[in-house]
Amino acid sequence: MIPFYIETYGCQMNVSDSEVVASLLAGSGYVPCSRWEEARILLINTCSIRENAEKRVMNRLDHFARLKKKNPQLRVGVLGCMATRLKEQLLEHPAVDWVVGPDSYRHLPAMMGSPASAPLQTQLSLTETYADITPYRGREQTVTSFVTIMRGCDNLCAYCIVPYVRGRERSRDPQSIQAEVEALQKDGFKEVTLLGQNVNSYRWKAGEETVSFAGLLERIALAVPNLRIRFTTSHPKDMQDDVLHVMANHHNICKQIHLPVQSGSNAVLAKMNRKYTRETYLDRIRSIRTILPGCGISTDLIAGFCAETEEDHRLTLELMKEVRFDQAFMFQYSQRPNTLAARHYPDDVPEEEKTRRLSEIIALQNRLSLESNRADVGKTMEVLVEGTSKRSEEDLFGRTDTGKVCVFPKGTNRVGDLVHVRITSCTAATLKGDIV
Ligand code: 5AD
Ligand code: SF4
């Protein structure tokens, strides 16, 4: 049995894909190990979303090349989005033996087993969903889990490389999704996050019947009453009230929505090809607040997209204040090769200007997150215990229904318990409290 180790970069979708790869290999004579030092095969699952993400992976490959000099038996494979984007170029790197894109993982065991097989497989597929593969979940992961419900993306946001590296959008059949979450519940898991680049366009046709995302969500909520359910990512142009009503009707669906806005300016949103306006975004927020009072709302923001003016930037800050996001992931625009923006618009906001705008966005969001957390002080919230706090062995951490991280003294509780915590204090990033 040959030991392998997978290092994962990028989004939750990659975490989920690495589990599919581990499962494919574990069924073919390879054995997963939890430390890379013990592995004969190193696989690196990569992300192309921003230039920085790619740089980190290239540095890691340089490190692997040095390891290979000391240990010539070592083999290295590059998986994920960079595999599709860079193809042969990656094979030229001294560390790299195999390059395998997100839709080609079924080829991996054969490639690894035979020196005669081609070392590069990056064809994208219109149909691959790995629906029949039960992901391998390591022993460290026993409470929360991801389940991929669809792959690829058809939206063509101007800045985004995802449609080019992960291919066309396709949904996974609801039966196999349900079977997978039922198995998770049986194995003692307590929470599942359903994953897709744009979950609201989930669609499965079975004869006369079409299953929408709202339909799938309801079906899953009923099938696994003992699992908490989250999902990501929602797209503002497609998120309708039907999903919100399903969330309101099922206590096991967490009251948290990730709704990336990217910008508060209509001119920038149009250029980004997001297909909604500031006004329609705010309308979606109003629906969430009306149908799901107290729902956690998070977002993604990009600073310094092509031709973004100071006024556009100000509109983003204004929108943030109006919505009062609980959390946000904030980025500086990074031009990606071959995207609509790279082909049509100059990357013309100077680097220091992008950095300044991003730091203003981050400073404002820190204030909003702190205010949102302060509003929770005094409340008692349901928290799923996920592990021991990084700061102290005496404390546990978990997440509230609304998606906030919460830290509290251990007492007699264990990982996987659902506890009630009275919030006593907070920072911008964390709630602190005591179990009641
Ligand atoms: N530059 C900066 N941020 C980007 N994102 C996607 N593409 C880019 C890019 N080229 C951000 C968006 C998206 C999140 C996953 O990453 O905010 O929602
Ligand atoms: Fe990129 Fe848009 Fe797809 Fe999100 S929905 S991955 S931003 S193309």
Side-chain angles (χ1 to χ4, degrees), residues 300-417:
D300 292 343
L301 291 153
I302 298 178
F305 185 63
C306 312
E308 185 190 72
T309 64
E310 194 57 35
E311 173 62 10
D312 294 324
H313 170 58
R314 197 188 60 76
L315 285 165
T316 297
L317 298 172
E318 286 306 312
L319 177 121
M320 291 169 69
K321 287 186 217 158
E322 194 164 339
V323 179
R324 310 183 62 78
F325 293 110
D326 299 290
Q327 301 181 57
F329 300 91
M330 300 155 282
F331 313 101
Q332 181 163 316
Y333 173 58
S334 160
Q335 188 181 64
R336 307 311 293 134
N338 296 324
T339 52
L340 284 177
R343 281 180 277 138
H344 298 294
Y345 312 125
D347 181 11
D348 53 3
V349 178
E351 201 61 20
E352 45 311 341
E353 190 58 30
K354 285 183 187 172
T355 310
R356 196 210 90 225
R357 290 179 192 175
L358 178 62
S359 56
E360 286 181 10
I361 288 173
I362 292 173
L364 172 58
Q365 184 54 46
N366 280 343
R367 203 188 87 204
L368 295 175
S369 297
L370 183 62
E371 285 171 12
S372 156
N373 286 352
R374 278 196 184 134
D376 286 338
V377 174
K379 288 186 193 161
T380 296
M381 305 179 97
E382 197 176 68
V383 177
L384 174 63
V385 183
E386 288 183 37
T388 303
S389 156
K390 274 186 222 118
R391 295 251 173 98
S392 158
E393 280 286 314
E394 303 304 307
D395 290 342
L396 295 171
F397 83 95
R399 236 166 258 272
T400 65
D401 191 50
T402 53
K404 291 182 179 179
V405 175
C406 182
V407 175
F408 44 91
K410 212 173 230 148
T412 54
N413 295 282
R414 285 193 306 202
V415 170
D417 287 349

Side-chain angles (χ1 to χ4, degrees), residues 92 109 118 182 305:
E92 286 162 20
E182 283 171 347
F305 185 63

Side-chain angles (χ1 to χ4, degrees), residues 49 152-163 169 196-198 233-235 237 260 262 272-274 300 302:
I49 199 112
C153 185
D154 281 352
N155 283 314
L156 297 173
C157 303
Y159 50 79
C160 190
I161 197 151
V162 167
E169 184 179 288
Q197 301 292 343
N198 173 4
T233 297
S234 301
H235 197 304
K237 81 176 161 66
Q262 315 296 1
M272 285 178 164
N273 196 29
R274 290 289 288 175
D300 292 343
I302 298 178

